[in-house]
Amino acid sequence: MQEIKNLSQLKKAIEAKRPFVIVKHHIKPDCEGQKRIPNKIQTNGFSSVIDGDPEHPVSKANGGVGYMFWYGKASDWKFEDGLCKFTQHNRPVWEIQFV
């Protein structure tokens, strides 16, 4: 599996609905370790649901669309060692890894 190295590659992986794991979430630590699948994809972000669990509260959120992730700007991202790290206002928000 190809390692994600930039925002363009990340968006392509999301469009292909590749599953990912939330490795670190600085705002919602209870999301860490969740395996998700992109669900609704927009130009500025995407929603995701729990892989294989449509009844999970995350999967049922927002009318069954799941929780939203926003892409932000390319400068908000760092890609290293297979991790895709998103920051906002120079503060870490979340890190995901595709599986």
Side-chain angles (χ1 to χ4, degrees):
M1 192 172 315
Q2 181 183 356
E3 185 176 319
I4 307 293
K5 296 181 181 175
N6 57 48
L7 184 55
S8 176
Q9 289 179 352
L10 173 78
K11 288 180 177 183
K12 287 177 183 174
I14 296 299
E15 288 171 10
K17 295 194 173 191
R18 282 181 50 192
F20 63 91
V21 172
I22 299 173
V23 176
K24 186 78 174 161
H25 201 304
H26 297 273
I27 298 169
K28 295 182 178 184
D30 55 313
C31 292
E32 292 177 11
Q34 291 180 348
K35 186 176 180 185
R36 305 257 191 108
I37 297 178
N39 189 26
K40 182 179 180 183
I41 301 160
Q42 301 175 182
T43 56
N44 61 344
F46 64 97
S47 68
S48 66
V49 295
I50 299 291
D51 188 14
D53 192 353
E55 296 303 312
H56 192 283
V58 170
S59 299
K60 293 175 108 178
N62 297 318
V65 175
Y67 286 158
M68 286 299 297
F69 288 89
W70 305 106
Y71 292 126
K73 300 178 280 187
S75 61
D76 294 334
W77 289 91
K78 288 186 181 175
F79 302 91
E80 52 191 36
D81 299 325
L83 290 176
C84 306
K85 301 177 180 184
F86 179 70
T87 61
Q88 198 168 41
H89 309 294
N90 295 317
R91 293 183 180 178
V93 178
W94 43 272
E95 301 173 15
I96 62 174
Q97 185 171 37
F98 288 89
V99 292

